[in-house]
Amino acid sequence: MSTTDHRPGSTGGADVPGPLHGGPDDDYTPQQLAAMDRTELDRLGARYDAVEVLHVDPVPEPGSPLERKAARQVTLWFAIAALSAVAFLVVYAGSNWFLPDWSWEPGDSGWSALFTPLLGATMGLSLLAIGVGLVLYVKKLLPHETAVQDKHDGSHFDRVTTGATLVGAWHNSGLPRRKLLGGTLAFMGAAMGVMLIAPLGGLIKNPNKGNPLGTTPWADGLRLLRDDGTPVRPGDQVPGSLETVFPAIPGGNSVHHSDAAVMLIRLRPDQMETLVTPAGQEDFGYGDYLAYSKICTHAGCPVSLYEQETSRILCPCHQSQFDVTQGARPVFGPATRSLPQLPIRVDEEGYFVARSDFREPVGPSFWNMGRLN
Amino acid sequence: MATNTVPAPEQPRTLVGKAALEVDDRLPIAGWLRRTMNKVFPDHWSFLLGEIALYAFVVLLLSGTYLTFFFDASMREVVYEGSYAPLRGVDVSAAYDSTLALSFDVRGGLFIRQMHHWAALLFVAAICVHLLRIFFTGAFRRPRETNWFIGVALLVLAMLEGFAGYTLPDDLLSGTGLRIFSAVFLSIPVIGTWVYFTVFGGDFPGELIIGRLYILHVLIIPAIILALIALHLTVLIKQKHTQFPGAGRTEHNVVGNRLFPTFAGKATALFFIVFAVCAALGGLVQINPIWLIGPYNPAQVSAGSQPDWYIGFVDGGSRIFPPWEIELWGYHIPPVLWGALGLPGVMFTVMALYPIIERKLTGDTASHHLLQRPRDVPVRTGLGAMALTAYIVLWISGGNDVIAEKFDISLNAMTWFGRIGFILLPPIAYWITYRICLGLQRHDREVLEHGIETGVIRRLPNGEFIEVHQPLGPVDDHGHGVLSYGGASVPKKMNQVGGARRAIKGFFRPIEEPAEVQRQAEREARGLEAEEASRELTRSGRPAEGGRPSAGGRPREPRD
Amino acid sequence: MSTTNPSSEAPVDSHRGLRARFGRRPVAGSPAAAARDRRRSKQRRRLANVAGLMAALVLTGVGYSVLAPGASAADDSTGTASNAVEAGQELYTRSCITCHGANLEGVQDRGPSLIGVGEAAVYFQVHTGRMPLVRQEAQAPERAPIFTEEQIEQLMAYIQANGGGPTMPSGDLRDGDLAAGGELFRLNCAQCHNFTGEGGALSSGKRAPSLQEASDLVIYTAMLSGPENMPVFGDNQLTPEDKRAIINYVQTIKEQADPGGAGIGRVGPVAEGLVIWTVGMGSLLFGIFWMGTKA
């Protein structure tokens, strides 16, 4: 704010600023303000912000037993916070230095199993103590005041003047008259908006290319392999058993073929007596062996909670229940379709192979599943 | 020379003062700072619920940033060779591998990871409690519909953010959850398969989804949440707080503490306490032990596969929805759609539109800054209880297998409980809540009319026994109180009106009421006249005033 | 089996089986070693087929009484095998005959036939106190066993003598690859018993019991015999090595500490949700009540 500058680019003392701020600066001269004490100034400022301090509960007298007690309490909590923080650092940095190793291995139940709990306890205590100390500070050592602040609705003056500016600009732009320009602007805005988001179209993938939803890797002659890659023979399973098998292709048991898992079930003789095969699937099984898709037709979880006495397969996600002696028909829960059955036979070497892919889409239902070819 | 400079009579002498002047010279900030510090906040515990959510979000940002230093959001297949022996040699994704590594091979990594997960659960829980407070006290009414709407959007975003984070480690539990999510996409009519392929970049799970969820989880959704929180708070500050009705409180003021230093001190303290709870849980209680759960494999699953609690109701809806699949000309609409998408969709739509619905139903279009007690709006409170009951039934159904197992209940019975309970219990909850509200209202009116029960039994000359009642204010010729109900809490015990001479340190009370009573008691002890200021505070004729024994209001007996 | 089938088609061979890979790791990762290991595992499995039959006859009296914890006396193992059968029959007539019939043929709606269930099934059912049943319900509950170890042995001998069936294993039941056991556990067991063996609900009041109290032998015999609704895991489906690997995994996980603090039941998000609402939200609500009160 120097007025003695006469260097080029400066107007020197001729450039006189307008009134400094107006408002309170006009109401109160610096001299008047200087005559006020701190509390008065505080209340004055508050009044300008529409705040009235109604009442102040005094703090305990400095030096009084009450004050000393409160101060001791607050100090104690902050001390706890500090010590806990130090304890955290000791545990964190000291492990594997002067304390035992922090790195946990299965079977450890000593220091390394306590490392994380100790970190949590020390950090938690430290932060909690800061919080408690602060609350006590505010409650016991700061004056508690009750203030009231006025609430103002929107200003009529502001609304009218702002509105005038906006509407004036709108009229000055001439857009209400220039219909063609206005229409073009709207079209331009829409087209530009679509243009800007259009590159996201690269995300879109066609679900109908090659029928990925209606097919799985299973095919005629493909062996049923266990998760360790060994094929299955009819003699391998005992009645009342279930085994998860995968198609004999690379990555058959992996996330790359999430629809491929099949449950190979061998029924007990009494289950065979009540076996009802759905029409068209009479020859899908092999003797007392049946193979069903493991993927739930409700939401795609792997069903496989096989209850061999009740012949039910339960899905652990939404509790759909399927009866394996009735073509894996849903008998309870939200599932609506039977688990697709995989037609199986035994190849010339005596191992189970698929006869074809599933005859219907595997997994959850979708819009056009009945229209896939 | 210096004709236009103001001679400052008191230039700051201290270093801090000089520095402050230097700052304000360059960036005139003093006025703004004073206005901010003078802002008055109501002093009631329920106004801190939203702050818990805010501070949990801060903890999430801090701990989440730490986690990104170690996490590899890739579905690349690797063989686990880390320090956890029971998984060594297993094929896992890089995401799972790096999560295990940051848990076991990074000092303190497990602690931060668990703190992050607990803070996430707390974040959504605090939002829900905050939302309930807003709902049941009518704080969403005009002019705050916008902020209600932003709040609902924040809740939905918080749930999506949580789900994305839950999925990132690519463990067996979250992979199962993702698979169910994929079935939900697939169930959308007409465009379902397109949405599904677009989201996963091919058939489930593909190789992209973890990376996509990662960028959503660490950038896109947090950025939106942050922006909405900023907007939420800006609107809040512009509109100022609501407050409960009470002595001296009107539609045109806010009574409470100024931001600085009282409220700022408490808010800072609350931040540390929220942080402390997250840290303590993060270290002391194990959450999402992915090493026990195992890596994701589409052929494997665990009993009791559940999402985190805030998605539980969606899962519950899918569990109890009956097997109704619509099939027309080969086109299917599977039941997953209704349970997992329709139900939450309806729920959040109705929730977001509720301020408008209520305005239409009641015809009340006025601005409101004073809150309502839930009992005074029995229909809304009943509707809230109804929605809450339906939600809880869905929520219980989301864990019905664990409940069935732990409490030895039939799983099928639990499913039927959910189906029937979802239809039957909400109306019952509505009716009960409605009746309770009316009962509480009547009791308020009764106390205003007849006074507080003092527990003093007196025998009249004619032999009749009566209980002496303490009126709360002036009485008419029949001994009935003339105070009308003002929407504030009505004192119902003698010590709430100073009858016990010492205010109880009300744990569940707003701070002003006992303070007023206590001050009065102190003044009486000193034999002083009541201050003018306190008259000011209580002059609006709210029921908290008057009838105080000290004000000459001796216990009186009603005539009838 | 692939030894009898050397010309198995290419995809089968190129399928890098998990278990094959696990087998390779300890032997410094040479493919030859892996193949050898795999061959050996096949041979072992074939051997087990034969051994299973032989063991039915031989191990009845001999193997188990040596192995059994607290088996009364090793010296009566050879001489009193038939005595054990007779004693077992007597016990059977006293406690089991009502539901399982005079000739182990089973009784309609009461109990299944016991012909061919083998001593493993008897061990599991009686040792876990599930049998004899107190009353008919959805599922036999676990209790303290009614019979002494010796009596259980006698019952086992009796059942084994009438129709044979799966026999008791011998040796170290945890002698298997930990990680392979984990994979097998998650594929075959976790869906019912939960990922840490905490158990889970099944349809209509039945449940897969928790494995927390289950001993190695109980888990082994359960897999072998498929009690009640549990599917049977025969030795040709899960080889004895596989079973031992699974047991190794289950018991390791059970005994393992929770490095992240309290395990809260190890049941997953339901318990976590409960904790955040009661402990987390509860303590914070308490905190803000307290902050709102006057000093």
Side-chain angles (χ1 to χ4, degrees), chain B residues 138-220:
Chain B
F140 55 82
R141 292 173 298 166
R142 184 189 170 102
R144 295 184 174 75
E145 305 100 321
T146 324
N147 240 11
W148 168 265
F149 191 76
I150 295 172
V152 173
L154 276 170
L155 172 60
V156 176
L157 283 170
M159 287 170 52
L160 289 178
E161 172 75 349
F163 183 82
Y166 164 87
T167 308
L168 288 183
D170 201 22
D171 57 292
L172 189 51
L173 199 58
S174 68
T176 306
L178 191 61
R179 175 124 216 192
I180 297 171
F181 224 61
S182 80
V184 176
F185 287 130
L186 210 47
S187 73
I188 302 169
V190 188
I191 56 164
T193 54
W194 287 86
V195 174
Y196 171 88
F197 261 65
T198 300
V199 167
F200 290 96
D203 206 352
F204 174 88
E207 278 150 16
L208 300 169
I209 187 67
I210 296 289
R212 287 181 178 178
L213 286 173
Y214 183 64
I215 201 67
L216 277 176
H217 182 75
V218 304
L219 180 69
I220 299 176

Side-chain angles (χ1 to χ4, degrees), chain A residues 228, chain C residues 19 41 44-45 48 220 234-245:
Chain A
D228 63 349
Chain C
R19 223 178 298 164
S41 120
R44 243 184 252 156
R45 187 186 285 185
Y220 197 102
D235 275 345
N236 289 338
Q237 180 181 343
L238 281 181
T239 63
E241 297 89 87
D242 290 343
K243 292 197 176 80
R244 282 161 215 254

Side-chain angles (χ1 to χ4, degrees), chain B residues 167-438:
Chain B
T167 308
L168 288 183
D170 201 22
D171 57 292
L172 189 51
L173 199 58
S174 68
T176 306
L178 191 61
R179 175 124 216 192
I180 297 171
F181 224 61
S182 80
V184 176
F185 287 130
L186 210 47
S187 73
I188 302 169
V190 188
I191 56 164
T193 54
W194 287 86
V195 174
Y196 171 88
F197 261 65
T198 300
V199 167
F200 290 96
D203 206 352
F204 174 88
E207 278 150 16
L208 300 169
I209 187 67
I210 296 289
R212 287 181 178 178
L213 286 173
Y214 183 64
I215 201 67
L216 277 176
H217 182 75
V218 304
L219 180 69
I220 299 176
I221 302 181
I224 300 175
I225 289 183
L226 208 56
L228 284 181
I229 288 179
L231 193 60
H232 201 64
L233 295 180
T234 310
V235 173
L236 167 86
I237 289 171
K238 272 282 165 204
Q239 293 178 335
K240 295 212 169 67
H241 270 82
T242 53
Q243 59 185 345
F244 283 102
R249 298 169 183 184
T250 70
E251 291 279 6
H252 302 288
N253 69 10
V254 187
V255 179
N257 304 141
R258 284 193 284 172
L259 172 72
F260 191 80
T262 317
F263 189 79
K266 284 188 177 179
T268 314
L270 184 58
F271 168 70
F272 281 109
I273 292 173
V274 171
F275 202 166
V277 168
C278 294
L281 282 173
L284 295 172
V285 189
Q286 183 164 293
I287 187 166
N288 199 20
I290 56 159
W291 57 94
L292 295 175
I293 297 169
Y296 181 58
N297 176 323
Q300 299 173 357
V301 72
S302 165
S305 286
Q306 261 97 15
D308 278 344
W309 78 261
Y310 43 85
I311 306 285
F313 79 99
V314 181
D315 207 40
S318 320
R319 287 179 184 206
I320 63 172
F321 198 83
W324 296 337
E325 181 155 327
I326 299 171
E327 192 183 344
L328 293 170
W329 307 290
Y331 293 114
H332 290 247
I333 303 178
V336 180
L337 179 75
W338 312 119
L341 213 56
L343 212 62
V346 169
M347 189 181 109
F348 285 116
T349 309
V350 171
M351 193 193 278
L353 296 181
Y354 186 79
I356 297 163
I357 295 172
E358 189 182 293
R359 209 165 56 197
K360 285 270 181 283
L361 290 180
T362 60
D364 177 7
T365 56
S367 277
H368 295 280
H369 301 287
L370 283 178
L371 299 173
Q372 288 169 309
R373 303 175 81 198
R375 70 186 61 178
D376 293 334
V377 204
V379 174
R380 181 204 295 147
T381 309
L383 286 175
M386 195 164 158
L388 203 57
T389 311
Y391 182 87
I392 290 173
V393 169
L394 291 178
W395 199 21
I396 288 175
S397 297
N400 61 7
D401 49 345
V402 173
I403 294 170
E405 204 265 324
K406 294 292 170 205
F407 296 98
D408 217 355
I409 304 167
S410 162
L411 186 58
N412 297 26
M414 281 301 296
T415 305
W416 277 109
F417 160 78
R419 286 174 177 173
I420 297 169
F422 183 72
I423 306 289
L424 222 55
L425 292 180
I428 295 176
Y430 177 86
W431 186 80
I432 292 176
T433 312
Y434 191 90
R435 299 312 306 179
I436 290 176
C437 287
L438 290 193

